[in-house]
């Protein structure tokens, strides 16, 4: 597992941090992993989804409440993605500015587990053309600092991950309407998947 964590987050972590990814992990297995950009969604949409699913008795990984002091963030994050039977990706307006989110999304696709995208103040059509350098996330990938730090292969992998997820059936959310209109549907679907 440590080697996988190193692989999943290897390019976004400084070299000295890679060694910490071999820290022993907890024994908890998760049912659902919530991928999100913290400043955009952690205290709003992600927290609402977490509270609801946790209230249903599911083990849900949302970094802040699940990580304990001393936990290896890369190891625990990867383990949560690997053990979860469902991933929820909250694609917000500045999502692509987070290399961590993009690395998670790419790894989630590699696990082959079901992914439910939640397009949070984003239209999936605005992501369809990311591989051609168009759409809402195009500026994030044309940022000179990002282009200098990450290989073109990694950037292409992240773009393909975004594009692939933009074609998955999910929810389009404007502001906070998800909780009131769609959470029941997600609960029913999760219940069906977990049987």
């Amino acid at each position: 597992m440590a080697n996988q964590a190193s692989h999943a987050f290897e390019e976004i972590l400084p070299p000295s941090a890679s060694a910490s990814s071999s820290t022993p992990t907890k024994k908890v297995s998760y049912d659902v992993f919530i991928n999100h950009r913290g400043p955009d969604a952690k205290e709003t949409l992600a927290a609402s989804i977490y509270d609801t699913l946790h209230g249903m008795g599911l083990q849900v990984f949302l970094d802040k409440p699940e990580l304990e002091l001393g936990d290896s963030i890369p190891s625990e994050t990867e383990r949560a993605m690997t053990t979860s039977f469902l991933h929820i990706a909250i694609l917000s307006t500045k999502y692509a500015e987070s290399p961590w989110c993009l690395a998670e999304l790419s790894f989630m696709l590699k696990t082959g587990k079901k992914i439910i995208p939640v397009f949070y103040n984003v239209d999936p059509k605005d992501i369809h053309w990311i591989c051609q350098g168009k759409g809402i996330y195009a500026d994030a990938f044309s940022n000179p600092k990002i282009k200098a730090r990450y290989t073109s292969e990694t950037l292409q992998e992240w773009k393909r991950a975004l594009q692939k997820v933009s074609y998955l059936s999910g929810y389009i959310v404007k502001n906070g309407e998800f909780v009131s209109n769609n959470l029941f549907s997600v609960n029913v679907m999760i219940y069906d998947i977990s049987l």
Side-chain angles (χ1 to χ4, degrees):
M1 186 76 69
N3 290 340
Q4 289 176 334
S6 163
H7 174 58
F9 300 104
E10 158 179 49
E11 198 162 351
I12 63 172
L13 292 173
S16 61
S18 295
S20 69
S21 65
S22 63
T23 303
T25 59
K26 295 183 267 186
K27 301 295 182 205
V28 176
S29 290
Y30 293 95
D31 300 309
V32 182
F33 179 87
I34 301 174
N35 164 261
H36 67 290
R37 182 177 180 270
D40 297 348
K42 185 181 298 299
E43 300 301 326
T44 54
L45 188 56
S48 295
I49 294 170
Y50 174 87
D51 290 343
T52 300
L53 298 178
H54 197 263
M56 293 173 59
L58 295 170
Q59 287 294 120
V60 183
F61 186 90
L62 180 66
D63 52 359
K64 189 174 179 180
E66 299 306 318
L67 291 171
E68 297 174 2
L69 291 175
D71 282 348
S72 166
I73 296 170
S75 295
E76 287 302 313
T77 301
E78 182 173 338
R79 195 176 62 72
M81 288 187 286
T82 303
T83 63
S84 297
F85 65 84
L86 176 70
H87 299 139
I88 297 175
I90 301 174
L91 302 170
S92 54
T93 54
K94 295 189 183 233
Y95 179 91
E97 293 178 12
S98 169
W100 189 271
C101 288
L102 296 168
E104 284 181 357
L105 186 67
S106 181
F107 186 79
M108 287 165 29
L109 284 165
K110 290 174 186 173
T111 68
K113 307 286 179 78
K114 187 170 186 81
I115 299 172
I116 299 175
V118 178
F119 302 98
Y120 190 38
N121 296 321
V122 170
D123 192 308
K125 291 182 283 190
D126 290 335
I127 307 171
H128 292 337
W129 298 98
I130 188 61
C131 289
Q132 287 75 30
K134 299 176 183 174
I136 190 167
Y137 297 145
D139 287 347
F141 286 97
S142 62
N143 181 323
K145 289 181 184 175
I146 295 296
K147 290 172 92 172
R149 181 166 178 193
Y150 302 104
T151 66
S152 60
E153 292 82 12
T154 296
L155 295 175
Q156 277 305 114
E157 179 181 326
W158 291 347
K159 287 178 184 180
R160 284 191 301 273
L162 283 166
Q163 185 177 49
K164 186 168 185 174
V165 170
S166 77
Y167 282 101
L168 296 177
S169 177
Y171 296 99
I172 298 174
V173 178
K174 300 298 181 193
N175 300 315
E177 74 183 34
F178 178 82
V179 176
S180 60
N181 295 339
N182 297 313
L183 206 44
F184 178 74
S185 300
V186 172
N187 291 343
V188 169
M189 191 255 332
I190 288 172
Y191 178 76
D192 288 342
I193 291 172
S194 65
L195 290 178

